[in-house]
Amino acid sequence: MHHFLKWIIALSVVLFGSASADASVRMRLANTLSQDHPSSVVLQQFADEIRDKTDGEVSIKLFVNGVLGSEREALEQLQNGAVDITRVSAASLENFDPLFRVFSLPYIFKDEQDFYAKMRGNAVASVYQATRSKGFQGLTFFDSGARSFYTVPRPIESPKDLQGLKLRVINSNTSIRMVELMGGIPTPLPYGEVYTALQSGVIDGAENNPTALTIGKHGEVAKYYSLDEHQRIPDFLVISNRAMDKLTPAQQQIVLDAAAHATQSYRRLWDAATRQALSDARAMGVEINRPEQGPFREAVQPLIDDYRQDPATGALLRQLLAP
């Protein structure tokens, strides 16, 4: 009887977990990017740090390569409880709160240093709570790089060089209007179609961070990369309210600290990845130039003015543009 009782207890632990395992919190973390992308590397670090500092009470499993769906699908699953945490572009969050449209505006950050200073400031701290009524909240941000133009026919030295060029943009009203104001012909296309569109002449160029030239191999076709650095659209790490509410106050603080540490680590990894991409692009025969930003900034000023007057975005934009 004694042995039979021990066997029943052992079996119940296997099937249902021990008492401490039952008390633990298990979460699913979705990322659409690859296993070796800097974001996936630091998200695994984030999960490991939380596991270690909560003595295993909070366990986070990372799913990469979009196996849990697109960014939009991951956000919808965050709302219904199928996903607990996800990394998404600010552009994807525009569908949930118009406030996030501000982050797609051109030239709201002077450079990388200004980006980090403002993204860590009070204005953005309040943005993390903007989606609470939608079922989730922000934890931290990541830099997805400065976006610049790369083209097939000629380098871009000023907006006049964009005249008549068909340029792939992300399917965002802000990006479409930006390219129109600069004089180009915006052509929204899925990222996966850009290479063949460049090759076949469907488009004359595109805009993205330097890794598109190398990882995306777009530099095999587009041989001019012009560092006008018109946009720096952040990614956000968001967690469902339901998941956050499962944690004790001490565990919540551990999650917030681990998120901040992930951003610090990401900055180092992303800087290295960007430098490597530019070096690799040159080795592919891509000619890299750095045009004067002034004429580009002037061209898009009407777009900035529109957002500044919009009640949904004006206050945040004014704070981000303040010196």
Side-chain angles (χ1 to χ4, degrees), residues 247-304:
L247 305 175
T248 66
Q251 289 171 340
Q252 289 177 353
Q253 191 57 53
I254 287 169
V255 168
L256 290 169
D257 290 345
H261 298 157
T263 296
Q264 291 166 7
S265 297
Y266 182 87
R267 184 176 186 178
R268 292 191 296 272
L269 289 174
W270 184 252
D271 284 351
T274 301
R275 284 194 303 273
Q276 188 63 52
L278 288 171
S279 174
D280 291 347
R282 287 189 180 96
M284 296 167 76
V286 177
E287 182 184 302
I288 298 171
N289 65 304
R290 189 177 286 275
E292 172 59 45
Q293 283 187 351
F296 293 92
R297 289 175 178 270
E298 192 177 330
V300 299
Q301 194 58 47
L303 180 57
I304 303 290

Side-chain angles (χ1 to χ4, degrees), residues 20-188:
S20 62
D22 279 347
S24 70
V25 177
R26 300 178 187 278
M27 297 190 192
R28 289 153 63 91
L29 166 54
N31 192 18
T32 56
L33 298 170
S34 64
Q35 182 82 45
D36 56 355
H37 189 276
S39 64
S40 295
V41 173
V42 300
L43 289 176
Q44 188 58 58
Q45 170 198 303
F46 165 78
D48 292 345
E49 180 177 339
I50 291 167
R51 181 199 62 219
D52 293 345
K53 291 191 174 172
T54 62
D55 295 322
E57 281 296 304
V58 180
S59 165
I60 299 173
K61 183 168 177 55
L62 173 62
F63 295 84
V64 297
N65 284 320
V67 295
L68 297 183
S70 66
E71 290 191 4
R72 176 64 185 256
E73 288 165 342
L75 285 167
E76 289 168 353
Q77 291 181 78
L78 206 68
Q79 292 178 304
N80 66 32
V83 166
D84 301 289
I85 311 172
T86 187
R87 179 220 54 85
V88 293
S89 168
S92 295
L93 290 165
E94 290 179 22
N95 298 310
F96 295 85
D97 194 293
L99 195 61
F100 288 92
R101 289 184 294 162
V102 169
F103 296 105
S104 294
L105 283 170
Y107 299 116
I108 56 167
F109 303 110
K110 296 184 186 72
D111 51 29
E112 182 191 339
Q113 191 170 337
D114 186 54
F115 170 82
Y116 275 94
K118 287 175 176 171
M119 289 299 295
R120 288 181 171 133
N122 291 334
V124 175
S126 64
V127 170
Y128 290 150
Q129 301 305 313
T131 55
R132 279 189 71 92
S133 62
K134 308 291 196 305
F136 58 90
Q137 57 196 278
L139 291 173
T140 193
F141 69 93
F142 300 120
D143 181 7
S144 68
R147 300 177 75 91
S148 295
F149 292 108
Y150 50 96
T151 43
V152 176
R154 57 180 178 264
I156 307 304
E157 293 289 354
S158 75
K160 71 176 187 295
D161 295 318
L162 293 170
Q163 296 289 331
L165 295 188
K166 297 187 295 293
L167 300 158
R168 182 266 176 175
V169 293
I170 55 177
N171 194 8
S172 141
N173 289 336
T174 307
S175 295
I176 289 168
R177 180 90 194 285
M178 173 191 73
V179 169
E180 285 175 343
L181 288 169
M182 289 181 179
I185 303 167
T187 309

